[in-house]
Amino acid sequence: MLKEDLKKIKVEHLLYSNEISVRTANCCLYSGLNTLYDIISLFEKKKSFLKIKITNAGRKTSLELNRLCETYISKLENEKSETYISKLENKKTKFNRNDEIIQVIDNLSVQEKNILFSLASLIIKSSKISNEQFIQYGQYFSNEFFNYFLKKQFHLPMFWILEQHIKKDKSREIAIITDSFNIFNNQQILTLDELSKKYNLSRERIRQIRKMGFRKTFEINDEIIEYKKRDLVKYGLILQNKTDWLYLLDLCQEIDILCQESQELQNYLKEEKCNLSIEFSLHIIAYIFRDNYCLMGSIDELNKSKKWNNIYLIKREYCDIFDFDKMKIEFCNKLMNNDTDYIFNIEDYIFNSQCWIKFDYNKTGNLINIVKDLLLHEFHLYSDDINGNIKIPANKEKRPTDVVYQVLKQTGRPMHLNEIFDEFKVILSNHKYTEPEQIRPYLLKHEAISFRNRNSVYTLKEWKHIKSGTIRDTIIEFLLENDLPKTAEDIIKYVTKYFPDTNISSIRTTMLNDTQKRFVFFRNNTFGLRNKNYPSKYKLLEQKGGLKISFEQHITELEKFIINYKKFPSSSSETKNEQSLFRWWSKIKEKQILNENQKTEIKRIIDNYSLYEANVNKFDSNFNILKKFILKNRRIPLEIDDEKYLYRIFCKIKDDFLNYNMSEEQRKQYIELMKLT
């Protein structure tokens, strides 16, 4: 073997033949060492990779590269290429059929396989296959269809090869992916619950495997995926080598948009005798040629937020100058809010569209044809006249905005969002919305509808006897009507006329939580508005230089702290303010000489916020335990064996998050932690 021959041995081949690890392969590729020749040349200069800095390479990787180089250098010195050629010639006489070829290839060393490149033409004379392709896909030369296709088309049937890999893959990860996404034609897609039962795993674990497996294998992004699992390496080698797939660019060269109905791609998949779905095939093209095409839509049938009903592959040159997502939204609105039929000129629309990112007159003709295809397949709108006009039909379905008003009007009272949605679905039973939250925008946009407090209760503005807005709005209204500050008792009497379910504690909490913007608290335990002028005898309860802080101010500061942080102050805090509040609260509870008002206030704090005092450190301790587990395992705990306790902790913290039973700081902590899973 000559040293020049090492240029033919790429890093990917070393990885595929198990001569180097995934980690080492990635370090080499990141550092520009693409062939065995590059690696050995660098080694010969420095004598050891321990002295060489290459990207992300540690001691273990450096030693692995040292051993690799020493092995090959030794063979370069002691063996001649004629020895290998002679050996291969002897082995060549042992076979005549393709299946025997495969068996011999599997028994060859990497060096023997590379020298076999020179003999490959004797086996596949009519093909234009490269040495690298022969080694990677040699296992398929025993297949009759593969050989027939290769001789006829002069390129590999890459969709067929990808399908064979997926079908033969017995890994759980790929099995869950194929059960979850529309990979094959006429395939049944299983729900998370069905997958959980089939694979005997929790629903959450299935979701994690499905998400991570798809990301590592088929997700379209610009990152270099590090294939740590052996069963995913083959997909990286197949999909990241654009050269093998270049024939698809010739197929699509004159086509600006492809979709599920595109006959060109359907016919080609038939030629490859491939059962991959057209949707998945479009996704694969977008994955490989992401610099040439953009994918509109998703093969994820469970994606509730998907923007497109179908999947489209559009040349990137048009996506870079025109916002097709914005165009889709515009036409959704046109169809939804249209009362009468009218004629729509698509050319005028394109020339005057607000969807242009960068106007290009030379591409308007092609863009018009792309938009026409999108309108046809997405909205079933097509032009049947000589001028290219499109008829926009009247929306005969009742408009959702009118329906929500009709529901409230007929009921004659304020209604919760869930109630409104139930009646909404009775009237519009076939409407696409499936969740109450989806109709909230219609309620907020309607000029005749207002919300009542913040509990998802809505009312009509024309009902003057029913107070709309929030409790805070009602408090402000009351204080604006009075020239002097008012006690919490006065305020609660007014507010409960309109909101009978509220109480004095929530009223005080509302005002104390907003003393920086709207409300002020005076020393005589009364409240006012910050932007209003009051007589000078009313003194604000604020600390002034050198003055002793009063009991009332301490109580106010304590209550603010509890409301903001959902806990009582702690002695172990790093902030002086919290430590000071802790010391004062500890002393005042033990103090014997207190007046009746002070005793009442202390009792009120204890009664209203006892839950926080009992659990002051519980969140921190539970969160830290859960965090250690997730950092170590990169997943949430499961409801099995010794993880049950941690699983219950996770469920409790998750429920608190969903029900807003956390401080903002705790919510941030939870969100950051979930990003690690």
Side-chain angles (χ1 to χ4, degrees), residues 76-93:
L76 284 170
E77 293 173 350
N78 298 324
E79 298 179 4
K80 302 296 182 181
S81 61
E82 289 79 8
T83 304
Y84 290 93
I85 293 174
S86 176
K87 190 187 299 185
L88 291 173
E89 289 291 348
N90 291 333
K91 290 182 178 180
K92 191 184 73 152
T93 61

Side-chain angles (χ1 to χ4, degrees), residues 140 161-169 234-235 238:
Y140 295 116
I161 289 173
L162 177 61
E163 181 181 10
Q164 302 312 304
H165 274 74
I166 296 174
K167 284 182 176 179
K168 292 177 182 177
D169 198 325
K234 51 180 170 286
Y235 299 106
I238 292 173

Side-chain angles (χ1 to χ4, degrees), residues 406-454:
Q406 176 187 338
V407 168
L408 281 165
K409 184 76 171 177
Q410 290 180 349
T411 306
R413 60 172 176 79
M415 297 177 68
H416 189 276
L417 178 65
N418 293 339
E419 284 186 280
I420 297 173
F421 181 73
D422 289 341
E423 296 299 323
F424 177 89
K425 290 298 285 185
V426 170
I427 299 172
L428 298 180
S429 57
N430 295 322
H431 196 276
K432 62 181 179 180
Y433 287 163
T434 58
E435 301 292 334
E437 280 296 327
Q438 293 173 302
I439 67 166
R440 191 186 293 274
Y442 295 129
L443 292 159
L444 296 175
K445 285 192 301 184
H446 204 291
E447 295 180 354
I449 299 174
S450 179
F451 62 90
R452 177 173 167 78
N453 206 355
R454 295 194 185 278

Side-chain angles (χ1 to χ4, degrees), residues 202 636-645 647-648 651:
S202 70
I636 63 171
L638 304 176
E639 196 177 5
I640 56 172
D641 303 330
D642 55 348
E643 294 184 21
K644 282 185 178 180
Y645 172 69
Y647 177 77
R648 287 196 293 269
C651 291

Side-chain angles (χ1 to χ4, degrees), residues 295-506:
L295 191 70
M296 300 291 170
S298 171
I299 67 168
D300 185 357
E301 296 294 334
L302 303 177
N303 183 4
K304 294 181 180 179
S305 62
K306 66 178 183 178
K307 298 177 181 177
W308 297 87
N309 298 322
N310 302 293
I311 297 179
Y312 307 94
L313 195 67
I314 302 176
K315 282 188 175 178
R316 182 168 288 280
E317 60 183 290
Y318 300 106
C319 297
D320 288 342
I321 63 173
F322 197 83
D323 189 339
F324 293 102
D325 285 332
K326 185 176 180 180
M327 182 219 80
K328 165 74 188 298
I329 295 172
E330 284 186 356
F331 274 92
C332 282
N333 292 333
K334 286 180 186 295
L335 293 170
M336 183 179 296
N337 300 318
N338 183 36
D339 293 325
T340 58
D341 295 349
Y342 72 94
I343 300 300
F344 180 84
N345 187 282
I346 190 65
E347 293 186 12
D348 290 343
Y349 167 77
I350 293 296
F351 278 104
N352 299 289
S353 176
Q354 298 298 311
C355 299
W356 284 99
I357 300 171
K358 183 181 178 181
F359 185 81
D360 189 338
Y361 179 83
N362 295 324
K363 293 181 178 178
T364 52
N366 295 54
L367 198 58
I368 288 170
N369 292 329
I370 292 173
V371 171
K372 283 182 177 179
D373 277 353
L374 290 174
L375 294 179
L376 173 62
H377 297 296
E378 196 71 8
F379 300 105
H380 308 292
L381 298 175
Y382 59 93
S383 172
D384 57 1
D385 73 2
I386 193 170
N387 296 317
N389 293 323
I390 292 175
K391 181 180 178 181
I392 304 294
N395 183 10
K396 297 179 181 179
E397 183 183 73
K398 293 184 179 180
R399 291 196 296 179
T401 48
D402 296 332
V403 172
V404 293
Y405 175 81
Q406 176 187 338
V407 168
L408 281 165
K409 184 76 171 177
Q410 290 180 349
T411 306
R413 60 172 176 79
M415 297 177 68
H416 189 276
L417 178 65
N418 293 339
E419 284 186 280
I420 297 173
F421 181 73
D422 289 341
E423 296 299 323
F424 177 89
K425 290 298 285 185
V426 170
I427 299 172
L428 298 180
S429 57
N430 295 322
H431 196 276
K432 62 181 179 180
Y433 287 163
T434 58
E435 301 292 334
E437 280 296 327
Q438 293 173 302
I439 67 166
R440 191 186 293 274
Y442 295 129
L443 292 159
L444 296 175
K445 285 192 301 184
H446 204 291
E447 295 180 354
I449 299 174
S450 179
F451 62 90
R452 177 173 167 78
N453 206 355
R454 295 194 185 278
N455 295 322
S456 298
V457 175
Y458 294 87
T459 183
L460 296 182
K461 292 179 180 179
E462 62 195 65
W463 295 338
K464 301 299 183 184
H465 62 291
I466 297 175
K467 179 69 69 177
S468 62
T470 65
I471 290 177
R472 183 172 296 165
D473 295 334
T474 306
I475 296 171
I476 292 172
E477 176 186 285
F478 177 64
L479 292 175
L480 282 172
E481 293 174 356
N482 291 274
D483 295 330
L484 300 179
K486 293 295 180 181
T487 64
E489 288 77 9
D490 293 332
I491 295 170
I492 190 65
K493 286 179 183 177
Y494 181 82
V495 172
T496 49
K497 293 179 184 177
Y498 307 103
F499 300 96
D501 295 332
T502 191
N503 54 57
I504 192 167
S505 176
S506 65

Side-chain angles (χ1 to χ4, degrees), residues 91-182:
K91 290 182 178 180
K92 191 184 73 152
T93 61
K94 297 179 182 178
F95 58 81
N96 292 311
R97 301 196 328 271
N98 286 332
D99 54 346
E100 292 174 330
I101 294 175
I102 304 308
Q103 185 177 358
V104 172
I105 289 175
D106 288 341
N107 294 327
L108 295 178
S109 68
V110 174
Q111 295 91 335
E112 291 169 333
K113 287 178 182 176
N114 279 284
I115 292 179
L116 187 59
F117 292 158
S118 61
L119 303 174
S121 59
L122 299 175
I123 305 169
I124 46 173
K125 292 179 180 180
S126 62
S127 72
K128 293 185 178 180
I129 190 172
S130 69
N131 296 337
E132 291 85 352
Q133 290 172 323
F134 180 68
I135 275 194
Q136 187 170 349
Y137 305 118
Q139 59 182 299
Y140 295 116
F141 280 89
S142 60
N143 183 278
E144 184 178 349
F145 165 74
F146 181 90
N147 282 295
Y148 170 79
F149 186 93
L150 191 59
K151 291 175 183 178
K152 180 182 178 182
Q153 301 293 343
F154 295 103
H155 65 77
L156 297 169
M158 293 307 298
F159 280 122
W160 181 87
I161 289 173
L162 177 61
E163 181 181 10
Q164 302 312 304
H165 274 74
I166 296 174
K167 284 182 176 179
K168 292 177 182 177
D169 198 325
K170 303 302 181 183
S171 68
R172 183 180 66 179
E173 194 167 27
I174 295 300
I176 290 176
I177 289 175
T178 54
D179 280 340
S180 301
F181 301 99
N182 189 18

Side-chain angles (χ1 to χ4, degrees), residues 572-592:
S572 60
S573 172
E574 296 180 359
T575 63
K576 292 183 178 180
N577 182 50
E578 185 175 351
Q579 292 174 3
S580 176
L581 279 174
F582 171 80
R583 289 193 296 270
W584 177 82
W585 179 241
S586 299
K587 290 178 182 178
I588 204 69
K589 287 190 296 181
E590 304 297 329
K591 198 170 183 180
Q592 300 296 321

